[in-house]
Amino acid sequence: MAISDTLKQYGQLSLIAALEKAAPADKAAIEKQLDAINWAELDRLIKEYVFQKPETAIPDDLTPAPFFPFPANTDELKARYAEAEKVGNELLAQGKVAALIVAGGQGTRLGFDGPKGTYPITPVLKKTLFQYFAESLARAGEKAGKPINWYIMTSELNDKPTRDFFAANNYFGLNPENIMFFTQGMMPAIAYNGQLLLGGKDTLALAPNGHGGTLLALRKSGALDQMKANGVEYISYFQVDNPLVPVVDPLFIGLHHLEGSEISARMLPKTNPYEKLGNFCITGGRLQIIEYSDMPAELAERRKADGTLDFLAGSPAIHVISREFIERLTCDGQLHMPWHRADKKVAYINENGDLVKPDETNAVKLESFIFDALPLAEKTMVLEGCREELFAPTKNATGVDSAESCRAMLVARDARRMELAGIKIPRKADGSPDCIVELSPRSVFDDADAIEFFKNNSVTIAPGEVKAFGK
Ligand code: UTP
């Protein structure tokens, strides 16, 4: 069917009018995008997610998800974790683990011009997020005795600047052969009246399809096949905004393997019932995340006899995923996961050809979320984590979950590691470090590295001192 007939069939009248006025080259570019759309599916999504706000039904049988406590609290668990860590290190040494960073988001809350990974995050040297991860991976690969392949997911909106940034910085010392960029899918933004919008004279207003898009993008890009050919079995998944995350974690990877899990998750004990973390729950015998905004107050606030939150486990979006699981999920070239509606202010070209930047939300973006893969797995595993070692998200410029709070957590973690290595750290009355220290992840990937690095080193840190260490 001609695209104009399709547009008519689905009532996309504004687009028909816009195409009639468009210059031939612009028209051709837009038609190419329109051709790629599955219209029957999009029509369903508009009815389901745009014309109504779908309520997330909270199942009656919802219970808190069980998790492996961390640190281990019994001798049996201690032995299990020791075994898991050993296995994790072996898997890394055998090259069976790849790292995967999702960096396709738009990072609107940070308000930074450019891919989020190019944001300077470290407190002293102002290394970017990408550099920090790259150096961590270089050191982790060195420790494993084998380079760790790194998959970097971008979107069409930031792919080129991301690749250019790596090339301009000589891949931060990594071998480019160990890095693979791939792009995620895009979804058209949909105005509240169901019409698709033009974002420019030759393009629809498109947005990345959410981090759930990773799974299909891995298949479509050939990354899954490449992983298989290279013997990669497990994927260490993390987000671009969290430099505190261990890019590969032998204990987590090893436990995932020993438990025969298909997708595993770290969990953090929530600090309060309404902390903005997804809640790990069980329903119908399956692990599922219920977003904080969907969690009914009576469940969020429910406490056990000892006063701890019943639904304690919050998600910092750190996973190990088995390659075979993703192969199974995407075997028909589709991703069967729900969509999530986000109301956004989407700039668009109006009927006069002018760019309009709305003051109020005017359109819906649809995203899929990686955690919706959890209930699709036959076997899952959740491992508690220590917030101070795992999770410092950089979502906003200031305040909660900001670049500022992230830097403070990096300093606190590095100061703690230095103390572990016998260096005296001046501290303020509230216990926080009275100095700004930064350890290069190229030299210090973990606690053991810190101890080794400062061995025979008589470093002194004066109150208020600002200092970086390592290559
Ligand atoms: P966020 O949910 O924080 O979204 O992404 P965002 O787009 O980066 O930021 P805001 O909401 O516009 O401020 C969490 C992680 O998922 C990645 C992001 O790059 C980040 O690492 N992500 C998000 C993608 O890779 N693709 C997407 O479509 C969305």
Side-chain angles (χ1 to χ4, degrees):
M1 195 191 307
I3 194 66
S4 53
D5 293 333
T6 307
L7 293 177
K8 248 180 242 151
Q9 181 185 343
Y10 290 102
Q12 291 293 335
L13 306 180
S14 337
L15 275 181
I16 295 176
L19 285 176
E20 275 166 11
K21 286 190 224 158
D26 296 341
K27 184 172 179 220
I30 296 166
E31 283 184 346
K32 195 166 164 223
Q33 292 176 333
L34 294 172
D35 262 338
I37 290 174
N38 176 341
W39 284 95
E41 172 70 356
L42 186 68
D43 193 50
R44 182 184 71 79
L45 296 180
I46 292 173
K47 288 180 182 133
E48 199 173 319
Y49 290 92
V50 182
F51 291 156
Q52 53 179 358
K53 282 195 183 178
E55 295 276 310
T56 307
I58 300 297
D60 293 339
D61 67 342
L62 206 68
T63 51
F67 55 84
F68 281 94
F70 184 84
N73 52 12
T74 61
D75 287 344
E76 199 188 330
L77 260 192
K78 273 183 203 147
R80 182 78 171 157
Y81 288 5
E83 170 68 5
E85 199 169 331
K86 187 167 143 278
V87 168
N89 279 319
E90 283 164 7
L91 291 165
L92 285 161
Q94 292 159 359
K96 291 190 173 166
V97 182
L100 165 60
I101 190 169
V102 289
Q106 292 177 288
T108 39
R109 282 170 289 172
L110 187 61
F112 172 67
D113 194 17
K116 210 182 207 180
T118 67
Y119 184 82
I121 194 64
T122 70
V124 182
L125 301 178
K126 303 286 180 274
K127 288 179 184 171
T128 61
L129 286 157
F130 280 141
Q131 178 170 359
Y132 203 75
F133 292 121
E135 291 183 354
S136 302
L137 276 166
R139 176 65 193 138
E142 197 170 66
K143 283 175 83 95
K146 201 165 172 84
I148 295 164
N149 287 331
W150 190 15
Y151 290 83
I152 300 176
M153 187 172 83
T154 63
S155 84
E156 277 169 27
L157 303 181
N158 66 14
D159 185 62
K160 185 165 180 338
T162 301
R163 288 174 193 251
D164 289 351
F165 186 73
F166 273 84
N169 288 285
N170 207 13
Y171 300 89
F172 304 104
L174 292 171
N175 183 343
E177 281 178 10
N178 296 122
I179 299 182
M180 178 174 172
F181 298 92
F182 66 106
T183 51
Q184 65 178 109
M186 304 290 278
M187 279 295 276
I190 307 153
Y192 288 150
N193 62 5
Q195 299 291 302
L196 301 196
L197 297 168
L198 286 185
K201 61 184 174 37
D202 61 352
T203 180
L204 294 172
L206 296 170
N209 63 1
H211 39 64
T214 311
L215 302 172
L216 201 53
L218 280 170
R219 172 172 285 277
K220 287 190 171 171
S221 64
L224 276 186
D225 293 339
Q226 191 193 61
M227 286 178 187
K228 189 173 184 181
N230 290 337
V232 170
E233 287 177 18
Y234 303 122
I235 299 169
S236 176
Y237 169 105
F238 51 92
Q239 300 192 330
V240 72
D241 53 25
N242 180 20
L244 204 58
V245 71
V247 286
V248 288
D249 180 344
L251 166 63
F252 186 33
I253 293 162
L255 204 54
H256 173 91
H257 173 87
L258 291 179
E259 289 294 309
S261 171
E262 290 187 310
I263 174 166
S264 299
R266 292 313 288 259
M267 84 77 158
L268 301 178
K270 289 192 309 180
T271 50
N272 68 72
Y274 296 108
E275 188 177 359
K276 292 184 174 178
L277 295 176
N279 296 278
F280 286 105
C281 304
I282 297 285
T283 171
R286 300 257 166 169
L287 183 65
Q288 182 171 339
I289 284 190
I290 303 283
E291 283 191 89
Y292 58 87
S293 46
D294 292 329
M295 195 71 174
E298 70 268 24
L299 291 185
E301 290 177 8
R302 206 163 75 191
R303 288 182 189 270
K304 297 197 187 96
D306 67 2
T308 53
L309 289 173
D310 201 13
F311 287 88
L312 180 68
S315 171
I318 303 168
H319 301 286
V320 172
I321 313 174
S322 294
R323 188 201 76 239
E324 283 182 356
F325 175 56
I326 306 178
E327 283 173 352
R328 176 158 67 75
L329 282 192
T330 60
C331 62
D332 62 354
Q334 310 274 334
L335 191 60
H336 304 279
M337 297 208 310
W339 292 93
H340 297 259
R341 167 182 171 142
D343 291 67
K344 299 275 179 180
K345 295 176 204 163
V346 176
Y348 64 98
I349 305 284
N350 70 9
E351 56 281 12
N352 303 321
D354 301 322
L355 181 71
V356 181
K357 291 190 176 168
D359 296 326
E360 303 290 330
T361 59
N362 63 324
V364 167
K365 281 187 184 175
L366 293 175
E367 293 190 322
S368 66
F369 293 161
I370 192 80
F371 58 67
D372 283 323
L374 291 168
L376 304 177
E378 297 300 328
K379 183 85 171 73
T380 53
M381 186 274 290
V382 181
L383 172 64
E384 185 174 2
C386 168
R387 185 180 298 253
E388 290 72 26
E389 300 289 327
L390 277 190
F391 190 52
T394 313
K395 301 285 184 198
N396 309 301
T398 53
V400 179
D401 294 343
S402 65
E404 211 175 333
S405 61
C406 175
R407 283 187 192 116
M409 289 190 80
L410 289 172
V411 170
R413 197 270 317 265
D414 286 353
R416 192 193 59 71
R417 280 189 173 158
M418 289 177 72
E419 281 173 336
L420 205 63
I423 312 291
K424 190 160 169 28
I425 294 290
R427 290 196 174 265
K428 297 181 189 156
D430 67 0
S432 62
D434 186 9
C435 57
I436 300 180
V437 287
E438 175 176 328
L439 302 183
S440 168
R442 182 66 189 85
S443 307
V444 178
F445 173 68
D446 53 19
D447 290 357
D449 276 352
I451 292 168
E452 183 61 27
F453 183 83
F454 287 106
K455 197 174 66 182
N456 311 324
N457 197 331
S458 57
V459 168
T460 52
I461 305 286
E465 194 168 336
V466 177
K467 198 155 182 188
F469 298 89
K471 320 188 220 186

